[in-house]
Amino acid sequence: MKVLFRADEIAERVKVLGREISSYYRGRDLMVIGVLKGSFMFLSDLVRQIDVPVQLDFVRLSSYMNASEPQGTVKIILDIQSDIKDRDVLIVDDILDTGQSMLAFRRHLEEKAACSVRVCTLLDKTCRRRVQIQPDFYGFRIEDGFVVGYGLDYAEQYRALPDIYVLDT
Ligand code: IMP
Ligand code: MG
């Protein structure tokens, strides 16, 4: 395992990201929706750097691994409990990879008549994108390679590590 981003670099970047998000939503209330489990550490650091009023909710998603399932759909294991009608919603995730689950989930929220739905991801693996989606806010762009730590897992391991690593393959 090789360190990709140290905890202090992440903290610096998250601080800047929090300021960027705060000025974007200045004067408004923000509904932050965290995608479990991967975003838990990023989310808890990020919301402490946002200085507009924040309400929180969480979802758990599972992308269909089975090729026979329809493309562009996402299985919602745990949905939000909040009413997001006319709200400004920011989805926070750990990493945007192919983008398929995020595209489908964003559509799901837009159908609930939110005022706006934006996407914030800590890591953006642009080269892996298979559908048309860009994060509105992101922490770092990265090359292909499997990353763990700071919430990200490999088979439920490494989530609690404070730094981000690339796994040797
Ligand atoms: P996709 O964008 O629909 O392909 O799926 C994104 C999800 O896959 C992320 O939210 C992560 O949970 C997981 N994922 C993708 N790449 C990685 C990685 O490098 N490390 C850990 N999890 C990953
Ligand atoms: Mg995830």
Side-chain angles (χ1 to χ4, degrees), residues 35 38 63 93-102 125 128 142 145-148 152-154:
V35 182
S63 44
D93 206 354
D94 51 357
I95 186 165
L96 203 57
D97 190 40
T98 67
Q100 283 170 316
S101 45
M102 185 55 79
K125 242 193 241 179
R128 293 257 310 162
I142 61 168
F146 203 84
V147 293
V148 297
L152 293 116
D153 76 306
Y154 173 70

Side-chain angles (χ1 to χ4, degrees), residues 53-84:
V54 164
Q55 289 85 51
L56 279 167
D57 210 334
F58 296 93
V59 285
R60 269 200 82 179
L61 306 178
S62 153
S63 44
Y64 288 113
M65 293 302 166
N66 193 327
S68 69
E69 296 292 348
Q71 285 276 305
T73 52
V74 66
K75 194 160 152 192
I76 299 168
I77 296 170
L78 169 75
D79 203 354
I80 51 167
Q81 302 301 308
S82 317
D83 182 10
I84 60 162

Side-chain angles (χ1 to χ4, degrees), residues 9 34 36-37 47 50 52 55 61-62 67 78 90 95 99 104-105 115 132 140 148-149 151 154 165:
E9 300 174 70
L36 296 172
K37 304 174 194 176
V47 291
I50 295 177
V52 299
Q55 289 85 51
L61 306 178
S62 153
L78 169 75
L90 182 65
I95 186 165
F105 181 60
C115 169
Q132 275 255 335
F140 303 99
V148 297
Y154 173 70
Y165 299 82

Side-chain angles (χ1 to χ4, degrees), residues 101-115:
S101 45
M102 185 55 79
L103 187 70
F105 181 60
R106 190 178 67 184
R107 200 175 294 141
H108 170 76
L109 292 186
E110 282 163 354
E111 281 164 6
K112 292 176 187 270
C115 169

